[in-house]
Amino acid sequence: MSDLLERLRARGWRLTSQRRVVAEVLDGEHVHLTADEVHARATTRLPEISRATVYNTLGELVALGEVLEVAADGRAKRYDPNAHRAHQHLICSGCGAIRDVQPQGDPLAALPAAERFGFTVTAAEVTYRGLCPNCRP
Ligand SMILES: [Zn+2]
Ligand SMILES: [Zn+2]
């Protein structure tokens, strides 16, 4: 059990049974589920929970800054409860498994001034790709 539920409690977020189930499904390490996956898992605990409720709850959690949306090239975006620890993603090209990783050094600082084209650069996302142990031939 990671700390998503604790963070939400600490913020005084009203935990209805539906919101609680969504938060419980998302809680944990290396969790990056699509909205449909969240819904599928939520229905095993709360069969009557609707897709709309899951989508709305995910939207609220993102707006609160407690869950990140991870864009996954052309595929459905994923929801990541690891919202307060800067990290990058390591993605398996075979099965799509995603791990949270922390490269050495600051990816923001890795972009030299000459490559910034006058931009104020505020964030960097790095995606590492490869084959996980299960997919390696
Ligand atoms: Zn894999
Ligand atoms: Zn992540």
Side-chain angles (χ1 to χ4, degrees):
M1 180 72 57
S2 86
D3 59 355
L4 177 61
L5 270 167
E6 285 165 38
R7 294 192 324 248
L8 293 171
R9 277 202 194 95
R11 295 184 67 135
W13 197 56
R14 200 166 53 86
L15 272 177
T16 62
S17 57
Q18 303 195 333
R19 285 172 156 195
R20 171 192 294 273
V21 163
V22 170
E24 282 174 355
V25 166
L26 277 173
D27 219 346
E29 300 285 318
H30 303 286
V31 174
H32 305 88
L33 298 172
T34 65
D36 284 343
E37 288 168 342
V38 173
H39 181 242
R41 293 182 192 204
T43 52
T44 67
R45 303 183 194 200
L46 198 64
E48 69 272 23
I49 192 168
S50 72
R51 185 174 301 255
T53 299
V54 169
Y55 276 71
N56 290 341
T57 305
L58 289 171
E60 286 180 40
L61 290 169
V62 170
L64 284 172
E66 297 296 350
V67 168
L68 301 175
E69 278 180 352
V70 179
D73 29 68
R75 301 189 196 179
K77 63 189 170 201
R78 294 175 176 277
Y79 293 88
D80 182 348
N82 190 1
H84 296 290
R85 201 167 123 260
H87 67 278
Q88 308 298 333
H89 291 114
L90 171 62
I91 302 182
C92 177
S93 309
C95 66
I98 306 180
R99 309 297 289 185
D100 288 345
V101 293
Q102 296 193 282
Q104 291 183 319
D106 177 359
L108 255 188
L111 191 65
E115 295 292 327
R116 296 188 178 211
F117 300 96
F119 283 43
T120 300
V121 183
T122 53
E125 285 170 28
V126 181
T127 303
Y128 300 88
R129 292 177 198 285
L131 287 176
C132 77
N134 292 334
C135 293
R136 221 163 30 219

